[in-house]
Every structure is written in structure tokens, then in C-alpha cells.
Amino acid sequence: MNVSVIGAGYVGLVSALGFCKMNNNVICVDKKIEKITKLNRGIPTLYEEGLEELLKECLQSRNIMFTDDIRIAVEKSDVIFITVGTPTLENWEVDLSQLNEVIREICKYIKSYKVIVNKSTVPVGTQKYIKQLLVDKGVNEENFDVVSNPEFLREGKAIYDFLNADRIVIGLDSERARKIMEKLYKPFNIEIIFTTPETAELIKYASNAFLATKISFINEVANLCDKVGADIEVISYAMGLDKRISPEFLKAGIGFGGSCFPKDTKALVKIAEKYGCNFKIVKSAIEVNNNQRILPVKILLNYYKKLEGKVITVLGLTFKPDTDDIREAPSLYIIRRLLDMKAVVKCYDPKASDEIKKIFPDINCYPNIYDSLEGSSCAIICTEWKEISSMNLEKAKLKMKEPIIIDGRNALDLNKVRDSGIIYFSIGRKRQNLKL
Ligand code: UDX
């Protein structure tokens, strides 16, 4: 089929390549010309497992093109996917300005029937809103259907998730569009849930908010573990063996970050509010996370009382390993607090040194983990990168001024920590192993 994807961010680029891999002709549009130039040359614009190889494979097949010309995309496609950013505003509402802009552009070029599919995470009612916008702009109702098709891919595993999703959710109100979407997705051999647009839109928020709540729940249990001397890892394992609970998303730490959970939890609270519902449980999940992500600073303050002039190393900046994404990462909140308290911050991250310098130009990033620990009075682990969890603790201890590690991701092996004699704090792990 002829497919176009508008917006070459995470979801857009991965979807474009995924549809190409599934033997469709794809046009991928982005208004940033430097992005287009890179992609047409086979240079990935984001770090993602398998992306470079798939990009090259797709370009070689000649079934994909990247362009900034939305007109070609609209004219040559049967199905147009919209995959633009929908960030959160200050008041927790969803910013639909990029989506509005794309719809306005699409309107100019629709001459024959198109299925317009929204893949961006949007508030309930957006499918109806897009339909109305198209009609208001003078597009003939015969010439389009609007479909909601939320995406559930995880960063770092995005290509795998796109091609092997647990489910495909499609919200629509037209038989004609249903046949086309069925044809497009049938080769994926994944269960498709056809439902109303409102249900599809809400499935995305409900799924992400549930997972975020699960993380906040286990983090609260971990905090209790620290008080009573219980072990969160045994608790998570035992809970996870109950099939009704499942072992996924029970890893305690300094909370969730990234481009989805923080944004989607707030949006769901706001959407619920709009319809007179007080979504208490999600509000609490957000509050727990806000506290959890700065827990290492509280532990540190409790230990040192004041941080002025202390050299503190932040190990790992991204919101999780295997990505270069630092959006809403707990590390950002920790660094900001440390700087506010006049600590000297040093950092190590295998992928995000350049990004962090854009936000905190005055902190020093090191390409080597041990250099970042030189003269440090504490290391805070914010991301469980392999390089960090497998670091040589004896070597680390020798470099540090005071050998204190606050492990915000429970990443280090407890036996190795005990043998190294490092002063160690973690999130809810058994205390009797530790020299405090
Ligand atoms: C998430 C959803 O998983 C995905 O379905 C959706 O499409 C987008 O949002 P992503 O943001 O890529 O994906 O990250 P994910 O792997 O889900 O992790 C999110 C955050 O939760 C990370 O900061 C991670 O460190 C944290 N997390 C995850 C925990 O703290 N504990 C866990 O057990 C799992």
C-alpha cells in the first residue's frame, strides 16, 4: 500500500521504517530539512537499536523516501499517518499545535479519498475534532476518514515493538477505513482491536497511566522496605510470580521519566477533570514519582547535611538505558537540586553528554566513568547502563574522595558492593548486606 508518515520523530521514523519493512511504499515527511537530508543518506537521527541497519535496508529497497514536501505525501498515499509531538502544557493540557498545523497542511492537498490516521497520543475526542477541522477547512466529507491508532512502542526496543506489538488498537467510525486498515495491518499477524475512536484514544492513556502507577506503587513499597529492613527485590520477584500481577514494571528505583509516562499521566488527570472526574490514583502516582526522583538528594543531604562545594558524580543521565533520550529523566531533577545547593556536578553517560550540556552548560561530562569519579564525594546512579552496573568498584573507590554510592536503580551487585567496602545506599534493598 502507499503510506505516508508525517513527523519523523521516534514514533514516526520507526513506523515509517516498519511499514516499509512490511512491503509498503512509504513517504516520510518532516519539516526539518537537515533531518530529511540525513535520513536520505542513511544517517539515523536518533539512537535506537537496529535503526541504522533498517534505515539502510529500506533505502536500498527504494520503497521509502524522506521529504519536507507534505503535498507529495498526501497526493501519493492511501493512508496518511500523523506522528507529531503532543507535549504537555504548563497547565497539564495537551499541546495540539503541531497536529493542527499538519491538518491545515493536509487540507490543502486532499483531492481524493484518504484515510488519515492519528498515531500521536491525543486527548479523548481528538478524532472528532480532526474530522470537524477538515470539514471546516472545506475538505469534502467523501474524501477522508479519520482513524485513531495509538502506538505503544518503547524507546530502545522501538523497532521490535512496532513489528511485534502485543496488540494493535484501531478506533474508527467507517467501514471503508476499517477495510483499508485491516489490509495494512493483516501482514503483521498481531491481534487487532477495532473499536470506537474515543475508546482507542483512552486505551493509550489508560495503559501508560497503569504502568506508571505500577512503578510508583513498587517504589512506595521499596521506601517502606528501607524503613522496616525488608528486601524489595524479593518482594517484586514474589509478587511477579502471581500471574495476575506479572513481573513487568515492578523494578523499584528513582521513578519513571521519558517522553510518555510523565506526560500521559498528567494528560489523563486533566482529561478526567474536564469530564468532572477526579483521577486520584494517577494523581498520587505522579506525586510519588516527583518525590522518588529526588530521593538520592535527600539521602545525600541526610548524610552530609550540606552540599556546598562537594563534588558529586551523576552516573547515567538518560531516563533509561539504551537510548540517548534525557526527556523528563530523574537525572535532570537531581542535577538541578545539586546545583541549587552549590554542589560541583560531574557526569558520565555513554550517550547523552551532548544533550545534557544544552541544559546545564556548566557541568563537566567525562567519556570515561572512572575519570568522572575522580575526587568525588558521592556517585549517584541514575541509569542502569551496563557500563555503570558492571563498573569496577575497587577502581571506582580509589578514584573517589569519599566512597559513597547512591544507587537509584538498584543496579550494582550487592555482594560486590559489600566486598568493595563502599558506603552504599539503594532503593529498598536488604540492609544487612551493607556497611552503613
Ligand atoms: C513507555 C511505554 O512502555 C510504551 O508502551 C509507550 O508507548 C511509551 O512509554 P518508554 O517511555 O520508552 O515506553 O519507557 P519504558 O521502558 O516503559 O520505561 C519508562 C520509565 O519507567 C523509565 O524511566 C524506566 O526507568 C522506568 N521504569 C520502568 C521503572 O522505574 N521501573 C520499571 O519496572 C519499569
Side-chain angles (χ1 to χ4, degrees):
M1 291 180 81
N2 295 317
V3 172
S4 65
V5 178
I6 302 177
Y10 247 105
V11 172
L13 182 55
V14 171
S15 306
L17 296 173
F19 283 127
C20 180
K21 172 109 183 140
M22 297 305 284
N23 301 317
N24 298 287
N25 298 312
V26 179
I27 301 175
C28 182
V29 184
D30 201 286
K31 60 183 181 183
K32 290 193 185 128
I33 190 73
E34 50 309 341
K35 222 182 214 186
I36 294 305
T37 314
K38 275 188 171 174
L39 290 169
N40 275 323
R41 286 187 189 146
I43 305 165
T45 45
L46 46 94
Y47 173 74
E48 185 63 45
E49 195 177 279
L51 188 106
E52 188 164 1
E53 295 79 359
L54 185 57
L55 175 62
K56 294 216 161 90
E57 185 188 320
C58 289
L59 286 168
Q60 262 159 21
S61 75
R62 297 186 176 278
N63 289 334
I64 198 163
M65 71 175 271
F66 297 94
T67 174
D68 63 343
D69 187 352
I70 209 165
R71 183 183 54 84
I72 301 181
V74 174
E75 285 175 2
K76 290 198 188 293
S77 315
D78 311 305
V79 186
I80 304 165
F81 281 88
I82 303 175
T83 52
V84 291
T86 49
T88 316
L89 295 166
E90 282 287 309
N91 63 1
W92 290 18
E93 279 184 10
V94 180
D95 177 4
L96 293 179
S97 56
Q98 293 181 53
L99 183 95
N100 284 327
E101 194 188 320
V102 168
I103 300 291
R104 273 197 298 274
E105 284 296 303
I106 292 176
C107 286
K108 291 188 202 161
Y109 307 114
I110 295 190
K111 303 270 174 338
S112 59
Y113 179 76
K114 308 284 170 192
V115 182
I116 300 170
V117 187
N118 178 50
K119 240 189 197 310
S120 309
T121 306
V122 291
V124 182
T126 303
Q127 182 264 4
K128 276 207 174 70
Y129 165 79
I130 295 175
K131 273 172 82 172
Q132 193 55 50
L133 204 62
L134 286 155
V135 172
D136 292 348
K137 295 274 169 206
V139 182
N140 186 337
E141 275 181 78
E142 299 289 302
N143 274 348
F144 71 86
D145 274 307
V146 180
V147 171
S148 161
N149 172 212
E151 183 51 61
F152 299 94
L153 55 81
R154 293 163 299 171
E155 290 186 21
K157 298 275 175 280
I159 294 166
Y160 176 86
D161 283 355
F162 185 80
L163 297 171
N164 305 279
D166 291 333
R167 75 297 205 191
I168 291 164
V169 173
I170 298 179
L172 37 66
D173 49 14
S174 130
E175 198 46 43
R176 192 176 180 187
R178 179 185 167 125
K179 288 207 175 90
I180 292 172
M181 294 304 284
E182 209 161 15
K183 190 172 161 205
L184 178 66
Y185 274 118
K186 205 156 184 244
F188 284 71
N189 218 1
I190 295 169
E191 180 173 348
I192 305 177
I193 296 156
F194 283 107
T195 184
T196 63
E198 291 75 17
T199 308
E201 286 162 351
L202 201 48
I203 288 172
K204 169 78 191 204
Y205 283 114
S207 301
N208 275 356
F210 184 81
L211 292 170
T213 306
K214 203 172 172 190
I215 297 170
S216 280
F217 180 88
I218 204 68
N219 284 339
E220 289 228 286
V221 179
N223 295 344
L224 182 59
C225 283
D226 269 333
K227 303 273 185 225
V228 301
D231 187 340
I232 192 61
E233 288 183 334
V234 181
I235 292 175
S236 290
Y237 178 70
M239 282 174 70
L241 290 178
D242 186 327
K243 289 184 191 64
R244 295 167 303 175
I245 296 174
S246 115
E248 302 289 329
F249 282 73
L250 284 182
K251 190 154 187 344
I254 47 171
F256 56 81
S259 63
C260 288
F261 288 174
K263 162 172 97 72
D264 295 349
T265 42
K266 287 178 191 160
L268 184 55
V269 167
K270 204 70 199 174
I271 293 163
E273 233 169 55
K274 192 173 156 198
Y275 293 92
C277 301
N278 184 6
F279 218 133
K280 289 186 201 160
I281 199 161
V282 179
K283 275 186 186 168
S284 298
I286 297 168
E287 194 190 330
V288 169
N289 199 56
N290 289 348
N291 287 324
Q292 198 70 13
R293 62 192 177 194
I294 51 157
L295 193 59
V297 182
K298 289 186 186 154
I299 296 171
L300 196 56
L301 257 184
N302 194 33
Y303 189 87
Y304 279 127
K305 308 302 174 218
K306 74 194 253 274
L307 300 179
E308 193 171 347
K310 289 257 178 235
V311 178
I312 310 295
T313 304
V314 176
L315 295 177
L317 300 167
T318 52
F319 80 100
K320 65 174 187 179
D322 303 321
T323 173
D324 59 358
D325 197 342
I326 56 170
R327 280 177 290 178
E328 286 297 313
S331 66
L332 302 182
Y333 293 87
I334 290 171
I335 293 173
R336 199 160 287 133
R337 294 269 167 142
L338 293 174
L339 293 176
D340 284 349
M341 286 183 274
K342 303 203 168 29
V344 178
V345 179
K346 296 168 103 181
C347 293
Y348 165 78
D349 189 280
K351 292 280 173 222
S353 298
D354 292 343
E355 282 306 305
I356 204 79
K357 292 292 276 182
K358 291 182 193 160
I359 303 175
F360 302 109
D362 296 333
I363 61 175
N364 283 323
C365 294
Y366 296 80
N368 176 301
I369 198 165
Y370 304 102
D371 291 344
S372 76
L373 291 168
E374 185 85 58
S376 178
S377 288
C378 176
I380 301 176
I381 298 178
C382 290
T383 320
E384 65 276 35
W385 283 101
K386 221 169 39 250
E387 292 86 334
I388 294 170
S389 50
S390 66
M391 72 177 149
N392 181 323
L393 294 177
E394 274 71 37
K395 202 169 160 188
K397 191 180 171 193
L398 284 175
K399 289 276 177 188
M400 295 177 79
K401 188 173 169 203
E402 283 148 297
I404 297 170
I405 294 182
I406 301 175
D407 186 352
R409 293 296 181 187
N410 291 350
L412 299 182
D413 182 307
L414 280 181
N415 290 325
K416 287 190 186 153
V417 172
R418 191 184 43 216
D419 293 347
S420 72
I422 280 175
I423 299 168
Y424 180 75
F425 299 87
S426 61
I427 313 291
R429 285 165 125 191
K430 206 160 92 184
R431 269 173 183 254
Q432 65 228 43
N433 278 332
L434 317 174
K435 288 187 179 168
L436 288 173

